[in-house]
Amino acid sequence: MSNARWALIEPVFTAWRARRTGPGTAARVHDLREIVNAILYVNRTGIPWEYLPHDFPPYKPVYDYYAKWEADGTTQQVHDLLRDKTRRAHGRASEPTAAVVDAQSVKTSANVAESSQGIDAGKKIKGRKRHLITDTLGLVLAVLITAANVHDTTGGKLLLDELARHIPA
């Protein structure tokens, strides 16, 4: 990650770490930037955590940071920060006033048990469905993954309800 990119998100992670210091917390051994670089490497390559190259921190602490950041909303906070900066750079308000809702059925592997897949009644697709809301710049506002048999209207309503909790306007 470049210095400029790290400068954008570093305050979020530094504040997160500062909130987690005090009696009973372990000494900080790994650099947060290296943790983020390792998470981005796993995301980009799709490798299992265990196969993280040795020039990154060990996979267990990297995954531990990732899991904590996902659970407490830190990754969402970074996503929202970057989306807001991009919107402002394009001359837009940080909160969108219009959005696009779409859905896409995705076939799953033949090795996945049919009981865990939905079958889209209209298209007979075994798999999953991605429901997505983007702003008018194409930046992701919300995503929902459902069984393929979930109707677009149902998935869209669930997604809009979730979006309304985060962006009331």
Side-chain angles (χ1 to χ4, degrees), residues 49-61:
W49 292 99
E50 296 85 15
Y51 298 141
L52 199 60
H54 295 292
D55 39 340
F56 290 114
Y59 79 90
K60 286 184 181 183

Side-chain angles (χ1 to χ4, degrees), residues 99 133 141-142 158-168:
I133 298 181
L141 299 174
L158 291 170
L159 205 50
L160 286 169
D161 290 346
E162 180 66 24
L163 183 62
R165 282 193 286 273
H166 296 291
I167 305 176

Side-chain angles (χ1 to χ4, degrees), residues 42-144:
V42 169
N43 177 262
R44 187 177 304 117
T45 62
I47 64 167
W49 292 99
E50 296 85 15
Y51 298 141
L52 199 60
H54 295 292
D55 39 340
F56 290 114
Y59 79 90
K60 286 184 181 183
V62 170
Y63 179 78
D64 185 54
Y65 275 90
Y66 167 76
K68 286 176 181 171
W69 290 341
E70 277 292 308
D72 70 11
T74 301
T75 52
Q76 184 65 45
Q77 184 181 355
V78 169
H79 177 266
D80 294 346
L81 169 78
L82 295 175
R83 186 189 62 234
D84 293 351
K85 284 185 179 289
T86 302
R87 288 185 56 78
R88 286 193 301 271
H90 282 87
R92 306 286 179 99
S94 61
E95 285 196 3
T97 56
V100 178
V101 182
D102 196 11
Q104 176 186 24
S105 295
V106 181
K107 293 180 184 180
T108 57
S109 167
N111 297 332
V112 177
E114 285 195 26
S115 62
S116 71
Q117 303 177 42
I119 299 177
D120 189 330
K123 299 179 185 174
K124 304 288 185 206
I125 293 179
K126 298 176 185 176
R128 301 284 181 249
K129 189 176 282 187
R130 289 186 290 229
H131 305 270
L132 177 72
I133 298 181
T134 65
D135 66 5
T136 55
L137 294 174
L139 302 172
V140 175
L141 299 174
V143 176
L144 176 68

Side-chain angles (χ1 to χ4, degrees), residues 16-32 61 64-65 68:
W16 178 87
R17 184 173 264 178
R19 289 190 305 270
R20 299 181 57 86
T21 57
T25 57
R28 308 303 183 208
V29 177
H30 304 292
D31 179 52
L32 288 173
D64 185 54
Y65 275 90
K68 286 176 181 171

Side-chain angles (χ1 to χ4, degrees), residues 137-157:
L137 294 174
L139 302 172
V140 175
L141 299 174
V143 176
L144 176 68
I145 308 297
T146 64
N149 63 350
V150 172
H151 195 275
D152 290 353
T153 304
T154 304
K157 182 176 177 345

